[in-house]
């Protein structure tokens, strides 16, 4: 198994576009929140491990694995991000999910009064 040391730098701190934040419940009842979207640095879909810390000012999500996801632009739906997310849910035994993106992003961010 590869360690975090084997992961190329451009995979450690990805920038996501058309991102979403989802709260899940796993088979053992554990709740966690994750971010997924289109990783523009590597042109691929990405889904994160549980979010440990979210910085609304910087629009970054730091995950349990130590990665820092930069969320760029408005939330959206990236097909490859959705595919990565569905795969992550399948592998990790997710039994329910709720989109909580609106708790992290407001239209006022784009269009201040």
């Amino acid at each position: 198994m590869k360690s975090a040391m084997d992961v190329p730098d451009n995979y450690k701190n990805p920038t996501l576009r058309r991102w979403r934040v989802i709260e899940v419940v796993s088979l053992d009842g554990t709740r966690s929140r994750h971010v997924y979207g289109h990783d523009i640095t590597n042109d691929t879909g990405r889904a994160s491990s549980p979010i440990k810390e979210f910085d609304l000012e910087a629009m970054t999500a730091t995950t349990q694995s130590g990665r820092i996801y930069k969320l760029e632009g408005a939330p959206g739906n990236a097909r490859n991000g959705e595919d990565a997310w569905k795969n992550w849910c399948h592998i990790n035994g997710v039994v329910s999910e709720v989109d909580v993106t609106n708790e992290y992003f407001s239209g006022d961010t784009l269009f201040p009064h």
Side-chain angles (χ1 to χ4, degrees), residues 17-63:
R17 285 182 114 168
R18 297 186 309 278
W19 52 273
R20 311 291 312 163
V21 180
I22 307 294
E23 182 174 284
V24 300
V25 177
S26 59
L27 285 169
D28 66 1
T30 304
R31 285 185 183 274
S32 57
R33 289 186 175 195
H34 306 261
V35 63
Y36 75 83
H38 176 78
D39 174 353
I40 61 173
T41 308
N42 300 291
D43 194 28
T44 188
R46 289 288 291 266
S48 79
S49 62
I51 296 170
K52 209 170 56 173
E53 185 179 311
F54 199 97
D55 183 333
L56 280 172
E57 201 167 301
M59 287 308 288
T60 57
T62 304
T63 64

Side-chain angles (χ1 to χ4, degrees), residues 61-79:
T62 304
T63 64
Q64 246 175 18
S65 67
R67 287 184 177 78
I68 300 171
Y69 288 79
K70 173 73 177 148
L71 307 180
E72 189 173 275
N77 294 303
R79 182 171 290 142

Side-chain angles (χ1 to χ4, degrees), residues 65-113:
S65 67
R67 287 184 177 78
I68 300 171
Y69 288 79
K70 173 73 177 148
L71 307 180
E72 189 173 275
N77 294 303
R79 182 171 290 142
N80 60 3
E82 288 178 31
D83 290 345
W85 175 245
K86 287 176 187 171
N87 189 46
W88 190 95
C89 288
H90 178 74
I91 290 168
N92 290 280
V94 168
V95 294
S96 71
E97 61 182 272
V98 177
D99 189 322
V100 294
T101 304
N102 290 342
E103 292 181 29
Y104 298 88
F105 185 86
S106 162
D108 293 342
T109 306
L110 287 180
F111 308 107
H113 299 289

